[in-house]
Amino acid sequence: MSDSGSNSKEDNKINNHSINNSKKVSLTGDRPTGRLHLGHFVGSLKSRVEFQHQYDQYIMIADTQALTDYFENPQRVIDNVYEVVSDYLAVGIDPTLSTIFIQSQIKALSELTMYYMNLVTVSRLERNPTVKTELAQKSFAQSVPVGFLCYPISQAADITAFKAEIVPAGEDQAPLIEQTNEIVRKFNGLYKTNVLKEAKLHLSNTGRLVGIDGKAKASKSLNNAIFLSDTSEVIKEKVYSMYTDPDHIKVSDPGKVENNVVFTYLDAFCENKEEIDVLKSQYRKGGLGDVALKSMLNKILQDLLEPIRERRSQLHRKDLIEICFEGTKKAKTIANQTVQEVREAIGINFFEKIQL
Ligand code: TRP
């Protein structure tokens, strides 16, 4: 039991940031299955950069959750752990303000998952809209792996282990937060406690970003995303290949703004909203060409991504490992405390006062 419940002074002061009980906790995570892209940036990374000043923020590399999808190809997950951490640091997540940690290294999360499994039915998991969509995409037929079906329970463990009240994430995570809160209410009610806290999803103003093809959300598997680490040439190429209005052939033709990806991205990334409104009405009337718009968007994205790419290129693997190591150490202390309280609430805190 040496791993659980240790709470020395040493553990409480890690990486120059002590555990701060006065701030609310925020927690998010990303599955490390590829580098992060602009969809992640507007959907969640931007808020995290702000939130790290307001909240006690935890950011989790969800490698265990990624394995529910990639258990046959763990290398993909392993290879992307530090890619994602690099993206975090490059966009301005500061490891002295945010605790970055690796999910698989926190055994307490597995233990919490085990207790929560008793509180959720199989049919409830099958009805979870996010799980339902994913099941439909994966064609498991009758052979759904138990690990996959249970990942919402493990996500509830991630959130509650840190008593997170805020989860900055995309809309697709709403059913997972709802599942978490159901578990919280059930646990607290059943074991007559208030150890676990309910969480709230924090959605970005921009919402989900479409892919450059305009078909679906930007995603690495659909190969329609602009990555934070793309080179300047690749960014330009992607911007110029964006879906616009297929009926807008000549510059003088009236064009459609709705479902026009260039405008969607201008809405998301251009600070000057009035200018965009003027361009939209001009485009609708006719007389504004796609190339002019794409060149404007290209400039905006190049300006946004160049410093990110520059910061990314200066990072050293050794420092990334150190940051994750320290963050994981701190996260372990907190998660162990929660597990201890959870065991107490259930009544299975045997041998607590005895040194084994
Ligand atoms: N499900 C999230 C995703 O697919 C990753 C994740 C795991 C997460 N645990 C979390 C997000 C806890 C928010 C909170 O990207």
Side-chain angles (χ1 to χ4, degrees), residues 264-310:
T264 312
Y265 276 62
L266 283 172
D267 280 336
F269 297 101
C270 180
E271 304 288 337
N272 189 342
K273 305 296 167 209
E274 282 150 32
E275 188 184 0
I276 300 300
D277 285 343
V278 172
L279 291 173
K280 281 180 181 170
S281 67
Q282 224 180 328
Y283 193 83
R284 284 195 178 103
K285 268 194 258 147
L288 179 58
D290 284 356
V291 174
L293 282 175
K294 284 179 172 175
S295 139
M296 177 182 172
L297 177 62
N298 180 50
K299 164 101 180 56
I300 291 171
L301 294 183
Q302 298 288 356
D303 288 350
L304 171 74
L305 294 175
E306 198 201 80
I308 294 178
R309 197 167 51 239
E310 176 60 22

Side-chain angles (χ1 to χ4, degrees), residues 342-356:
V342 159
R343 287 187 198 161
E344 262 164 48
I346 303 175
I348 51 168
N349 49 332
F350 299 109
F351 312 131
E352 202 136 276
K353 306 218 161 47
I354 307 168
Q355 285 289 323
L356 283 184

